[in-house]
Amino acid sequence: MHKYKGSSKLMLLPENTDQLPQILKYCNSRCLAVVPQGGNTGLVGESVPVFDEVIINTQRMNNIISFDEVSGVLVCEAGCILENLISFLDKQGFIMPLDLGAKGSFQIGGNVSTNTGGLRLVRYGSLHGTVLGLEVVLANGNVFEMLGSLRNLVMHSRSNKRAVAEAGGVQVVLDLIGSGDTDTSIQVAMFIKLLFFKNTIQEYASSETVRAITAAFEKDLWATGTVHEEYLKALYALFVNFPRLRASEPATLSIPHLVTSLKTRSEATQESALNALFLLRLVWSADPNQT
């Protein structure tokens, strides 16, 4: 449609998830901006380079990895053309729950990222409801395999319409905060604070998130004797927005570490710890069994 125009001097065509992490790791280390590109059928210009970014096109990542006829689960790469997947499943006696006019050039990675509706939406629902897992390559080149863990989140969450974008994202966040790198953990804690200050993804605010944050600042306490206040602010964000988490076992286990945080010399850390303890105290006050 020639609605958007961009320019780039370099387009890379990785063939698998061994090459893609190397590309992203190199670009990240040199602060080179990248733009992912699929079939170029989007109508909002999301794949158009505007500041001479490096284009990473997924057209060569077009292999069907496996298909299980018993469960009907298809595993494929992001660059698979939708029409090819439809033809493949037709030959197996199965049907793809997605079909649309641009299927001859639309890649499945773009389908998943935009939650494309298409001609079969009413009958089979949105595409995100049929995605059971992802293998994700982050901007720094790290690869996260979530084909197993994401499946449970999708199948058992109260609402799975945003499961790919959010449940997968939350799983990555929990992995990162426990990565062992202090700078990364603190940045992730800041992200959690922002992520859960809105109730739009409340189904993913779980006791496991509380446990991950507690483990991160406990490690900080043991290593340095101090706690970065962002851990405690993230914990407070969870407690203030999701009162049910205050009575969880991980919340109770966080109390000794919150008390220890009061002994640090940082006023910001002490204040954040007090805020979190105050919310937990509300749970004790409301429980008639507590004395």
Side-chain angles (χ1 to χ4, degrees):
M1 296 176 65
H2 303 290
K3 185 178 179 180
Y4 302 96
K5 294 182 179 180
S7 62
S8 177
K9 298 175 183 177
L10 178 64
M11 181 172 73
L12 302 177
L13 301 165
E15 296 182 353
N16 50 56
T17 50
D18 291 328
Q19 296 179 358
L20 185 55
Q22 296 178 39
I23 293 171
L24 288 172
K25 188 175 296 184
Y26 180 90
C27 291
N28 184 67
S29 66
R30 288 160 177 78
C31 297
L32 299 175
V34 301
V35 57
Q37 192 175 86
N40 270 329
T41 57
L43 301 178
V44 295
E46 70 275 19
S47 62
V48 178
V50 292
F51 296 112
D52 196 30
E53 297 96 336
V54 175
I55 298 174
I56 300 179
N57 192 290
T58 57
Q59 62 179 278
R60 290 186 179 175
M61 298 178 65
N62 57 7
N63 295 311
I64 295 176
I65 298 172
S66 66
F67 176 68
D68 187 340
E69 294 186 2
V70 176
S71 63
V73 174
L74 174 73
V75 181
C76 65
E77 294 179 331
C80 287
I81 301 296
L82 178 59
E83 187 172 39
N84 295 340
L85 294 179
I86 292 175
S87 299
F88 173 82
L89 290 175
D90 283 345
K91 294 176 183 178
Q92 306 295 323
F94 287 77
I95 188 170
M96 187 75 178
L98 173 69
D99 193 8
L100 65 159
K103 60 186 177 184
S105 54
F106 212 151
Q107 296 178 9
I108 192 65
N111 296 152
V112 173
S113 67
T114 59
N115 196 23
T116 306
L119 305 176
R120 297 171 180 169
L121 173 65
V122 175
R123 183 168 184 178
Y124 297 109
S126 68
L127 185 59
H128 282 185
T130 63
V131 175
L132 300 182
L134 293 173
E135 184 179 37
V136 179
V137 182
L138 302 182
N140 62 2
N142 290 339
V143 180
F144 285 88
E145 174 67 64
M146 297 183 293
L147 292 176
S149 58
L150 183 60
R151 180 173 188 166
N152 293 330
L153 286 165
V154 172
M155 299 304 291
H156 297 109
S157 63
R158 290 191 295 275
S159 169
N160 63 12
K161 62 183 178 181
R162 295 181 300 274
V164 172
E166 292 171 357
V170 171
Q171 182 63 45
V172 170
V173 164
L174 296 185
D175 287 338
L176 283 176
I177 199 169
S179 65
D181 182 85
T182 303
D183 291 338
T184 299
S185 295
I186 292 173
Q187 291 179 32
V188 172
M190 295 172 66
F191 178 67
I192 289 177
K193 178 183 64 177
L194 297 174
L195 190 67
F196 289 109
F197 252 126
K198 291 187 177 295
N199 290 338
T200 53
I201 59 171
Q202 58 182 323
E203 59 265 36
Y204 303 113
S206 69
S207 59
E208 288 305 311
T209 314
V210 176
R211 192 188 306 276
I213 297 172
T214 303
F217 78 77
E218 179 187 8
K219 187 183 299 183
D220 208 12
L221 271 173
W222 277 102
T224 65
T226 60
V227 180
H228 199 286
E229 67 268 18
E230 290 300 337
Y231 292 128
L232 306 180
K233 288 179 180 178
L235 204 59
Y236 174 79
L238 287 169
F239 290 158
V240 78
N241 284 286
F242 310 104
R244 59 184 172 83
L245 295 180
R246 302 174 196 170
S248 65
E249 180 185 0
T252 303
L253 294 175
S254 72
I255 294 172
H257 306 303
L258 289 171
V259 173
T260 304
S261 299
L262 296 175
K263 301 176 183 179
T264 64
R265 297 181 180 180
S266 168
E267 292 185 4
T269 297
Q270 293 172 353
E271 181 180 359
S272 299
L274 282 172
N275 289 337
L277 286 169
F278 174 77
L279 292 177
L280 293 177
R281 184 177 182 278
L282 296 178
V283 178
W284 311 332
S285 302
D287 188 347
N289 296 319
Q290 297 292 332
T291 57

